[in-house]
Amino acid sequence: MVSKHSQSCAGSDYFASDFAAGEIQKYLQVDDYSTAEKLIEYYKKIFDDFYIELLIIDYDEQKQMNYKLIKLANKTKTKMIITCDVHYQKKEFTEVHDLMLLIRDKHTLEDLKYDQLSGTNKIYQYKVKDLYYKTMQEINDDFLDIDAFVEIPA
């Protein structure tokens, strides 16, 4: 399927793996490095410029995934690209975003408080609270956090 439609991406400057829900990541979630590696090699044959995408957000599961992706990128000699997930423009809009989710789902703050106190967790709220448009300095600082637990070759 991908190879059939790869020509439609031919005008693009690059093609990157998807972040959390990506095919490569699904194999890495179950520590199937072998299949993930084969998939990367497959994509590299189809796309001239394939990158592994590292999503820089303050979420432990994503940080662990980034570690696995960096390890795989180093092993397969695949270039990496850093991205952010942006849902709102500024850091101070985090609470407004949470409120918008409540409104969308027809809930109130009282509903959320009860949900959290009762432990039912039926009301959807993002666990990640840094889904805003980050400055380059913030991205660099967050990436250095990854650097703390993985050796990245120069």
Side-chain angles (χ1 to χ4, degrees):
M1 178 78 155
V2 173
S3 59
K4 179 181 175 185
H5 296 286
S6 65
Q7 291 305 314
S8 64
C9 299
S12 301
D13 291 334
Y14 67 90
F15 186 80
S17 65
D18 193 12
F19 56 97
E23 191 174 12
I24 294 167
Q25 289 79 343
K26 287 183 180 178
Y27 289 112
L28 292 178
Q29 285 172 352
V30 295
D31 293 324
D32 186 352
Y33 283 88
S34 176
T35 304
E37 187 177 333
K38 289 174 187 171
L39 194 56
I40 287 172
E41 295 305 331
Y42 172 72
Y43 285 143
K44 287 170 72 173
K45 287 178 186 172
I46 295 172
F47 301 104
D48 294 332
D49 220 0
F50 179 75
Y51 290 77
I52 290 180
E53 180 178 358
L54 303 175
L55 178 62
I56 307 299
I57 57 175
D58 189 20
Y59 187 55
D60 287 341
E61 290 175 20
Q62 184 60 47
K63 289 177 183 181
Q64 290 301 318
M65 179 57 67
N66 286 342
Y67 170 78
K68 292 178 179 184
L69 289 166
I70 291 168
K71 182 178 171 182
L72 198 58
N74 288 337
K75 185 174 182 186
T76 61
K77 297 181 179 11
T78 304
K79 294 178 267 187
M80 293 173 270
I81 186 169
I82 294 173
T83 63
C84 298
D85 194 0
V86 179
H87 289 239
Y88 39 92
Q89 188 177 13
K90 297 179 181 179
K91 186 176 190 173
E92 54 268 23
F93 294 168
T94 302
E95 287 183 32
V96 174
H97 183 258
D98 290 344
L99 288 171
M100 288 176 52
L101 291 173
L102 287 173
I103 292 167
R104 178 198 69 188
D105 296 337
K106 298 177 177 60
H107 292 293
T108 66
L109 284 171
E110 285 299 314
D111 295 338
L112 180 61
K113 191 182 299 183
Y114 174 78
D115 186 63
Q116 291 171 338
L117 288 173
S118 68
T120 57
N121 297 317
K122 291 182 180 179
I123 297 177
Y124 184 77
Q125 292 282 285
Y126 283 95
K127 294 177 187 174
V128 179
K129 300 298 180 187
D130 67 336
L131 300 175
Y132 62 93
Y133 189 83
K134 296 178 182 177
T135 65
M136 282 304 297
Q137 185 60 51
E138 289 172 311
I139 294 169
N140 285 336
D141 291 346
D142 288 347
F143 186 71
L144 290 177
D145 187 35
I146 289 173
D147 192 34
F149 66 87
V150 64
E151 184 177 324
I152 301 171

